[in-house]
Amino acid sequence: MSRRSGILEFAVLGLLRESPMHGYELRKRLNTSLGVFRAFSYGTLYPCLKTLVANGWLIEEPGNTTEDALAAPLSGRRAKIVYRLTAEGKEHFEELLSQTGPDAYEDEHFAARFAFFGQTSRDVRMRVLEGRRSRLEERLEKMRASLARTRERLDDYTLELQRHGMESVEREVRWLNELIESERAGRDMKSSAAGGSAQQNTTNGAPGNLPRSGETRPDLPDDTTT
């Protein structure tokens, strides 16, 4: 399986985890929500869907809207097929979400992974973000070294293009630094809140930092991922 098709399968599974869709809806969501797929076609999507169905990760169902129900008798065409994620498909997608290998840091794959960070655990988000930052810092170092060697031989326009590329990478590194700090701050806030609550509950006679029966804990930030 090529890297490109692997990214597409990941994105399709992630979107269908949110809700079942037919092919047109999927293509629209991939185009609008995930810019990396703007240029792909139905000829790319449908073989991907067939593969996911064959693997048992999706099932095909007839459309159940009024429009779909009327489509066949009025137009002579089949009603739209709706694709639904199976339990095995959900498990497979969660396995993909947990992966933090080098592919997760590459340009196209990182964009798709980041689009589903809301469904990703915090420790995995941190590893992906830090891996991406490390990859870009390596790229930036190579770009600077190359520019230093060739600066005298470049015309003004080529030099400006090189600088523009470096600035783009530098901006993304700054953005990643902000995201990583936000993730760390969230983790520290949770630890601080848990520690403070533990001390308070111990004083009140409750064991550890567990709430007493019927007591809610609004002081703890919600780190649940869907």
Side-chain angles (χ1 to χ4, degrees):
M1 181 175 62
S2 70
R3 178 177 294 177
R4 178 75 174 181
S5 63
I7 299 170
L8 179 57
E9 290 184 6
F10 172 83
V12 167
L13 291 172
L15 290 175
L16 290 176
R17 190 188 186 194
E18 299 173 2
S19 65
M21 301 180 206
H22 53 67
Y24 175 76
E25 290 174 312
L26 269 171
R27 185 172 185 266
K28 185 165 64 173
R29 287 290 305 277
L30 288 165
N31 284 338
T32 57
S33 302
L34 301 173
V36 67
F37 298 108
R38 269 194 199 100
F40 90 110
S41 65
Y42 284 112
T44 304
L45 175 60
Y46 282 103
C48 172
L49 290 170
K50 294 299 182 184
T51 298
L52 295 176
V53 170
N55 288 338
W57 297 330
L58 302 181
I59 57 174
E60 297 177 332
E61 300 176 338
N64 56 8
T65 65
T66 303
E67 179 183 353
D68 289 340
L70 294 174
L74 292 180
S75 65
R77 295 178 299 176
R78 292 189 307 165
K80 293 177 181 177
I81 294 175
V82 172
Y83 295 90
R84 182 185 298 274
L85 197 66
T86 64
E88 293 80 6
K90 181 178 180 181
E91 182 179 351
H92 178 63
F93 179 67
E94 289 172 351
E95 290 175 0
L96 295 176
L97 278 180
S98 69
Q99 295 177 5
T100 58
D103 280 350
Y105 317 149
E106 299 301 332
D107 295 342
E108 289 187 348
H109 208 157
F110 174 75
R113 287 296 303 270
F114 190 82
F116 295 99
F117 260 25
Q119 304 180 42
T120 307
S121 64
R122 177 171 296 180
D123 61 325
V124 172
R125 293 197 303 262
M126 282 290 292
R127 289 198 293 271
V128 172
L129 290 172
E130 290 173 341
R132 175 66 175 174
R133 180 177 63 179
S134 177
R135 180 62 52 86
L136 289 183
E137 287 173 341
E138 293 174 2
R139 184 182 302 174
L140 191 58
E141 184 177 350
K142 291 178 181 178
M143 293 173 73
R144 287 170 175 161
S146 175
L147 184 61
R149 291 193 305 269
T150 60
R151 180 188 298 271
E152 299 301 325
R153 300 194 300 271
L154 299 177
D155 61 61
D156 291 342
Y157 296 101
T158 305
L159 183 60
E160 201 58 37
L161 185 62
Q162 295 273 3
R163 287 173 175 166
H164 175 70
M166 288 178 55
E167 289 172 359
S168 297
V169 177
E170 289 169 345
R171 281 196 300 272
E172 186 171 349
V173 169
R174 289 194 297 270
W175 174 66
L176 290 166
N177 285 335
E178 292 173 359
L179 290 171
I180 290 169
E181 288 306 311
S182 295
E183 294 286 348
R184 287 175 177 165
R187 180 180 298 162
D188 292 343
M189 287 171 59
K190 181 172 181 178
S191 300
S192 299
S197 298
Q199 182 178 3
Q200 179 180 3
N201 285 336
T202 302
T203 303
N204 292 335
N209 63 349
L210 297 175
R212 292 186 295 275
S213 178
E215 181 184 35
T216 59
R217 290 293 305 279
D219 57 312
L220 288 179
D222 184 7
D223 187 35
T224 304
T225 56
T226 57

